[in-house]
Amino acid sequence: MFLYWSAVLRRVSVPGLALGAILGVGTATVDLVDGLGWRQAASGAVTCLLLGYLVFALFVSTSETVLAQRVARSHGGVPDAAMFRFPCAREVRLPRKHSATAAALANEVLGHARATNAVRIEQVLERGGGDVYLIAVGGAGARVAAHLDAVVEGEEVVVRIKARPLRCWKQLDGGASWGVARALESCARATLRERGLQRS
C-alpha cells in the first residue's frame, strides 16, 4: 500500500507545487502591500508554498489510496501503480470450442454484467459487431468510460477491455477504472465458461 501511496504522491507533486506557489505569491504580495520588508515577504511565501504543497499532496495521496484499497480488496488484490495507468486494459483469450459471433459474445458479456450487478452500467453509448462503448460507475461513484471488444480470431475467442476516467484530463480515479476493467474481465470469463469456451 505504501508503494501505491508514494506513486500517487509523485503524480500529484506538480499540481501541489503549483498550488503552493500560488499561495506563496499571494502571501508575499499581501505582505509587501502591508509594508513588510522583502525578507519577511519571502519567508511567508516559502512557508505558504511548503504548507500548500504538503496539505494538498498528503490529502490527495491518502484519500486516493483509501479509495483504491477498497476497490482492490473487492477484487482480491492490493493497490499498485497499474491502477492509474490509463486506459486500464484487460484481456481474456480462450480456445474457441463452439460457434459464437463477436456481437453475440459482446452482448452476452454485457448481459452477464447487468444480471449479476458486477458492474453498474449507466449507459451504452455505441454498439457495433463485437464493439461496445459504455459508461459505468466504479468505486466511490466515479464514472468510467469503458470499451469492450470481442473478436473471434481463428480458433480463439478474444475479449479486450479498456477503461479510463470519463474525463480525459483526470489523472486519478480511486481505482474506479481498474475495478470496472477487472469486473468486466470476470464477466467475460464467466460468459465464456457458460458457453463451454474455457480451457479443458
Side-chain angles (χ1 to χ4, degrees):
M1 189 168 72
F2 175 75
L3 292 175
Y4 181 84
W5 181 86
S6 60
V8 175
L9 184 64
R10 286 193 299 274
R11 178 160 285 197
V12 300
S13 285
V14 172
L17 285 171
L19 177 65
I22 291 168
L23 292 173
V25 168
T27 301
T29 302
V30 169
D31 286 348
L32 289 172
V33 169
D34 286 347
L36 299 176
W38 281 101
R39 182 174 290 171
Q40 285 180 305
S43 175
V46 169
T47 301
C48 279
L49 187 151
L50 291 174
L51 281 176
Y53 166 75
L54 286 173
V55 169
F56 176 83
L58 293 177
F59 173 77
V60 172
S61 300
T62 303
S63 59
E64 173 73 16
T65 301
V66 168
L67 291 173
Q69 187 176 23
R70 286 180 190 158
V71 172
R73 191 180 298 136
S74 70
H75 293 280
V78 293
D80 61 27
M83 292 182 81
F84 56 81
R85 283 193 204 111
F86 303 127
C88 296
R90 309 295 295 179
E91 183 177 285
V92 180
R93 183 180 289 267
L94 296 170
R96 181 186 184 195
K97 293 190 177 178
H98 292 285
S99 174
T101 66
L105 284 172
N107 287 335
E108 286 181 34
V109 172
L110 206 58
H112 188 281
R114 284 181 164 143
T116 59
N117 208 25
V119 181
R120 189 157 64 110
I121 297 170
E122 188 175 271
Q123 183 181 3
V124 175
L125 300 173
E126 187 181 336
R127 192 187 308 227
D131 276 322
V132 179
Y133 293 88
L134 57 97
I135 297 174
V137 179
R143 297 172 79 217
V144 173
H147 175 215
L148 186 146
D149 179 28
V151 293
V152 178
E153 296 180 351
E155 296 304 310
E156 280 191 317
V157 173
V158 183
V159 180
R160 296 183 182 94
I161 297 143
K162 291 183 179 178
R164 63 173 304 118
L166 189 59
R167 306 290 177 214
C168 292
W169 50 266
K170 285 195 78 171
Q171 296 295 303
L172 300 167
D173 68 352
S177 297
W178 182 87
V180 166
R182 286 289 295 262
L184 286 173
E185 177 193 15
S186 296
C187 292
R189 289 188 186 282
T191 299
L192 296 180
R193 268 198 306 273
E194 288 166 9
R195 271 187 164 268
L197 295 170
Q198 77 275 19
R199 294 187 187 280
S200 52

